[in-house]
Amino acid sequence: MNSVSTASGHTVTALRWRMSAVTELEQIGIDVRAQRPRVARALLHIADRYRGPVTAAEIAAAAGYGERGLQEAFQRDLGLAPSRVVLLLRLWRARLMLLSNPDQPIGSVAAAVGFAHFGRFSGYYRAQYGETPSDTVHAARHRLYS
């Protein structure tokens, strides 16, 4: 992929990624631009990695924290644990995928956003959105095909 450098030395590709990550975080109610720099770095790292395995140690290292410092900073500034941010991003992305393409298998969507266990995914999804992934798919199909 080609990228063009800006006057500040950033690449256009990197700037697009950052805008995408910021937008994803905004969708779950987190304004990255309002955060302290290290918390913002941790959030951007999560947004870049949440579809796969991501550990507190990895997030902490990316932001220049120890694990305990990361937990404390997230609780102080966001009122959430880093693992909760990962979960919320995964659920939001799954919902977006189910609504935009209700014909794809729900298990595939769950796996694509980082859930290894379908039952847990379904339970978290229902707790977050008040409906099962199947309910979302049925409603999306109804809107699409009616």
PDB file of all heavy atoms in Angstrom, residues 102-120:
ATOM      1  N   PRO A 102     -26.815  -9.362   7.171  1.00  0.00           N
ATOM      2  CA  PRO A 102     -27.471 -10.340   8.037  1.00  0.00           C
ATOM      3  C   PRO A 102     -27.442 -11.774   7.502  1.00  0.00           C
ATOM      4  O   PRO A 102     -27.890 -12.689   8.195  1.00  0.00           O
ATOM      5  CB  PRO A 102     -28.911  -9.819   8.135  1.00  0.00           C
ATOM      6  CG  PRO A 102     -29.110  -8.987   6.930  1.00  0.00           C
ATOM      7  CD  PRO A 102     -27.763  -8.405   6.594  1.00  0.00           C
ATOM      8  N   ASP A 103     -26.911 -11.983   6.317  1.00  0.00           N
ATOM      9  CA  ASP A 103     -26.844 -13.337   5.775  1.00  0.00           C
ATOM     10  C   ASP A 103     -25.564 -14.071   6.156  1.00  0.00           C
ATOM     11  O   ASP A 103     -25.423 -15.253   5.868  1.00  0.00           O
ATOM     12  CB  ASP A 103     -26.995 -13.296   4.245  1.00  0.00           C
ATOM     13  CG  ASP A 103     -28.392 -12.838   3.842  1.00  0.00           C
ATOM     14  OD1 ASP A 103     -29.355 -13.172   4.568  1.00  0.00           O
ATOM     15  OD2 ASP A 103     -28.508 -12.135   2.828  1.00  0.00           O
ATOM     16  N   GLN A 104     -24.642 -13.392   6.786  1.00  0.00           N
ATOM     17  CA  GLN A 104     -23.418 -14.083   7.203  1.00  0.00           C
ATOM     18  C   GLN A 104     -23.667 -14.838   8.500  1.00  0.00           C
ATOM     19  O   GLN A 104     -24.478 -14.416   9.328  1.00  0.00           O
ATOM     20  CB  GLN A 104     -22.266 -13.093   7.338  1.00  0.00           C
ATOM     21  CG  GLN A 104     -22.471 -12.000   8.373  1.00  0.00           C
ATOM     22  CD  GLN A 104     -21.424 -10.923   8.284  1.00  0.00           C
ATOM     23  OE1 GLN A 104     -20.274 -11.208   7.984  1.00  0.00           O
ATOM     24  NE2 GLN A 104     -21.806  -9.691   8.534  1.00  0.00           N
ATOM     25  N   PRO A 105     -23.004 -15.955   8.682  1.00  0.00           N
ATOM     26  CA  PRO A 105     -23.213 -16.753   9.900  1.00  0.00           C
ATOM     27  C   PRO A 105     -22.791 -15.992  11.161  1.00  0.00           C
ATOM     28  O   PRO A 105     -21.726 -15.361  11.183  1.00  0.00           O
ATOM     29  CB  PRO A 105     -22.319 -17.975   9.690  1.00  0.00           C
ATOM     30  CG  PRO A 105     -22.044 -18.021   8.225  1.00  0.00           C
ATOM     31  CD  PRO A 105     -22.094 -16.606   7.740  1.00  0.00           C
ATOM     32  N   ILE A 106     -23.618 -16.046  12.168  1.00  0.00           N
ATOM     33  CA  ILE A 106     -23.340 -15.326  13.410  1.00  0.00           C
ATOM     34  C   ILE A 106     -22.034 -15.803  14.039  1.00  0.00           C
ATOM     35  O   ILE A 106     -21.250 -15.002  14.542  1.00  0.00           O
ATOM     36  CB  ILE A 106     -24.520 -15.462  14.386  1.00  0.00           C
ATOM     37  CG1 ILE A 106     -25.761 -14.787  13.790  1.00  0.00           C
ATOM     38  CG2 ILE A 106     -24.182 -14.855  15.740  1.00  0.00           C
ATOM     39  CD1 ILE A 106     -27.046 -15.061  14.550  1.00  0.00           C
ATOM     40  N   GLY A 107     -21.785 -17.093  13.994  1.00  0.00           N
ATOM     41  CA  GLY A 107     -20.536 -17.624  14.548  1.00  0.00           C
ATOM     42  C   GLY A 107     -19.312 -17.065  13.849  1.00  0.00           C
ATOM     43  O   GLY A 107     -18.286 -16.811  14.485  1.00  0.00           O
ATOM     44  N   SER A 108     -19.414 -16.845  12.555  1.00  0.00           N
ATOM     45  CA  SER A 108     -18.303 -16.254  11.803  1.00  0.00           C
ATOM     46  C   SER A 108     -18.065 -14.817  12.222  1.00  0.00           C
ATOM     47  O   SER A 108     -16.923 -14.362  12.322  1.00  0.00           O
ATOM     48  CB  SER A 108     -18.581 -16.297  10.299  1.00  0.00           C
ATOM     49  OG  SER A 108     -18.662 -17.620   9.861  1.00  0.00           O
ATOM     50  N   VAL A 109     -19.138 -14.097  12.461  1.00  0.00           N
ATOM     51  CA  VAL A 109     -19.021 -12.713  12.927  1.00  0.00           C
ATOM     52  C   VAL A 109     -18.354 -12.693  14.298  1.00  0.00           C
ATOM     53  O   VAL A 109     -17.437 -11.914  14.544  1.00  0.00           O
ATOM     54  CB  VAL A 109     -20.405 -12.026  12.975  1.00  0.00           C
ATOM     55  CG1 VAL A 109     -20.326 -10.682  13.689  1.00  0.00           C
ATOM     56  CG2 VAL A 109     -20.956 -11.857  11.571  1.00  0.00           C
ATOM     57  N   ALA A 110     -18.821 -13.562  15.196  1.00  0.00           N
ATOM     58  CA  ALA A 110     -18.241 -13.625  16.537  1.00  0.00           C
ATOM     59  C   ALA A 110     -16.739 -13.894  16.464  1.00  0.00           C
ATOM     60  O   ALA A 110     -15.943 -13.231  17.133  1.00  0.00           O
ATOM     61  CB  ALA A 110     -18.940 -14.700  17.365  1.00  0.00           C
ATOM     62  N   ALA A 111     -16.347 -14.855  15.652  1.00  0.00           N
ATOM     63  CA  ALA A 111     -14.929 -15.179  15.509  1.00  0.00           C
ATOM     64  C   ALA A 111     -14.148 -14.023  14.889  1.00  0.00           C
ATOM     65  O   ALA A 111     -13.019 -13.737  15.296  1.00  0.00           O
ATOM     66  CB  ALA A 111     -14.760 -16.440  14.661  1.00  0.00           C
ATOM     67  N   ALA A 112     -14.746 -13.336  13.921  1.00  0.00           N
ATOM     68  CA  ALA A 112     -14.066 -12.239  13.226  1.00  0.00           C
ATOM     69  C   ALA A 112     -13.740 -11.073  14.150  1.00  0.00           C
ATOM     70  O   ALA A 112     -12.781 -10.343  13.910  1.00  0.00           O
ATOM     71  CB  ALA A 112     -14.916 -11.751  12.053  1.00  0.00           C
ATOM     72  N   VAL A 113     -14.534 -10.901  15.195  1.00  0.00           N
ATOM     73  CA  VAL A 113     -14.271  -9.792  16.116  1.00  0.00           C
ATOM     74  C   VAL A 113     -13.542 -10.236  17.385  1.00  0.00           C
ATOM     75  O   VAL A 113     -13.372  -9.446  18.311  1.00  0.00           O
ATOM     76  CB  VAL A 113     -15.556  -9.010  16.465  1.00  0.00           C
ATOM     77  CG1 VAL A 113     -16.166  -8.396  15.220  1.00  0.00           C
ATOM     78  CG2 VAL A 113     -16.553  -9.863  17.213  1.00  0.00           C
ATOM     79  N   GLY A 114     -13.132 -11.486  17.435  1.00  0.00           N
ATOM     80  CA  GLY A 114     -12.274 -11.928  18.531  1.00  0.00           C
ATOM     81  C   GLY A 114     -12.907 -12.792  19.598  1.00  0.00           C
ATOM     82  O   GLY A 114     -12.283 -13.054  20.624  1.00  0.00           O
ATOM     83  N   PHE A 115     -14.130 -13.270  19.382  1.00  0.00           N
ATOM     84  CA  PHE A 115     -14.753 -14.163  20.360  1.00  0.00           C
ATOM     85  C   PHE A 115     -14.478 -15.603  19.975  1.00  0.00           C
ATOM     86  O   PHE A 115     -14.818 -16.023  18.877  1.00  0.00           O
ATOM     87  CB  PHE A 115     -16.267 -13.945  20.429  1.00  0.00           C
ATOM     88  CG  PHE A 115     -16.661 -12.697  21.145  1.00  0.00           C
ATOM     89  CD1 PHE A 115     -16.923 -11.539  20.436  1.00  0.00           C
ATOM     90  CD2 PHE A 115     -16.757 -12.678  22.527  1.00  0.00           C
ATOM     91  CE1 PHE A 115     -17.279 -10.373  21.097  1.00  0.00           C
ATOM     92  CE2 PHE A 115     -17.124 -11.516  23.189  1.00  0.00           C
ATOM     93  CZ  PHE A 115     -17.373 -10.365  22.478  1.00  0.00           C
ATOM     94  N   ALA A 116     -13.907 -16.371  20.883  1.00  0.00           N
ATOM     95  CA  ALA A 116     -13.622 -17.775  20.624  1.00  0.00           C
ATOM     96  C   ALA A 116     -14.793 -18.660  21.036  1.00  0.00           C
ATOM     97  O   ALA A 116     -14.920 -19.779  20.561  1.00  0.00           O
ATOM     98  CB  ALA A 116     -12.364 -18.200  21.378  1.00  0.00           C
ATOM     99  N   HIS A 117     -15.657 -18.163  21.902  1.00  0.00           N
ATOM    100  CA  HIS A 117     -16.748 -18.958  22.449  1.00  0.00           C
ATOM    101  C   HIS A 117     -18.080 -18.301  22.090  1.00  0.00           C
ATOM    102  O   HIS A 117     -18.406 -17.209  22.585  1.00  0.00           O
ATOM    103  CB  HIS A 117     -16.585 -19.060  23.970  1.00  0.00           C
ATOM    104  CG  HIS A 117     -17.513 -20.032  24.611  1.00  0.00           C
ATOM    105  ND1 HIS A 117     -18.797 -19.688  24.966  1.00  0.00           N
ATOM    106  CD2 HIS A 117     -17.349 -21.326  24.966  1.00  0.00           C
ATOM    107  CE1 HIS A 117     -19.390 -20.731  25.524  1.00  0.00           C
ATOM    108  NE2 HIS A 117     -18.531 -21.737  25.533  1.00  0.00           N
ATOM    109  N   PHE A 118     -18.857 -18.955  21.227  1.00  0.00           N
ATOM    110  CA  PHE A 118     -20.099 -18.380  20.736  1.00  0.00           C
ATOM    111  C   PHE A 118     -21.101 -18.099  21.857  1.00  0.00           C
ATOM    112  O   PHE A 118     -21.777 -17.063  21.860  1.00  0.00           O
ATOM    113  CB  PHE A 118     -20.743 -19.275  19.675  1.00  0.00           C
ATOM    114  CG  PHE A 118     -22.029 -18.720  19.152  1.00  0.00           C
ATOM    115  CD1 PHE A 118     -22.035 -17.664  18.260  1.00  0.00           C
ATOM    116  CD2 PHE A 118     -23.240 -19.242  19.573  1.00  0.00           C
ATOM    117  CE1 PHE A 118     -23.219 -17.125  17.797  1.00  0.00           C
ATOM    118  CE2 PHE A 118     -24.435 -18.715  19.111  1.00  0.00           C
ATOM    119  CZ  PHE A 118     -24.426 -17.648  18.223  1.00  0.00           C
ATOM    120  N   GLY A 119     -21.212 -18.995  22.812  1.00  0.00           N
ATOM    121  CA  GLY A 119     -22.161 -18.813  23.910  1.00  0.00           C
ATOM    122  C   GLY A 119     -21.860 -17.559  24.725  1.00  0.00           C
ATOM    123  O   GLY A 119     -22.768 -16.815  25.103  1.00  0.00           O
ATOM    124  N   ARG A 120     -20.584 -17.318  24.991  1.00  0.00           N
ATOM    125  CA  ARG A 120     -20.204 -16.104  25.723  1.00  0.00           C
ATOM    126  C   ARG A 120     -20.515 -14.866  24.896  1.00  0.00           C
ATOM    127  O   ARG A 120     -21.011 -13.866  25.414  1.00  0.00           O
ATOM    128  CB  ARG A 120     -18.728 -16.139  26.092  1.00  0.00           C
ATOM    129  CG  ARG A 120     -18.454 -17.066  27.231  1.00  0.00           C
ATOM    130  CD  ARG A 120     -17.100 -16.778  27.874  1.00  0.00           C
ATOM    131  NE  ARG A 120     -16.825 -17.859  28.787  1.00  0.00           N
ATOM    132  CZ  ARG A 120     -15.842 -18.723  28.648  1.00  0.00           C
ATOM    133  NH1 ARG A 120     -15.021 -18.637  27.645  1.00  0.00           N
ATOM    134  NH2 ARG A 120     -15.673 -19.676  29.535  1.00  0.00           N
TER     135      ARG A 120
END
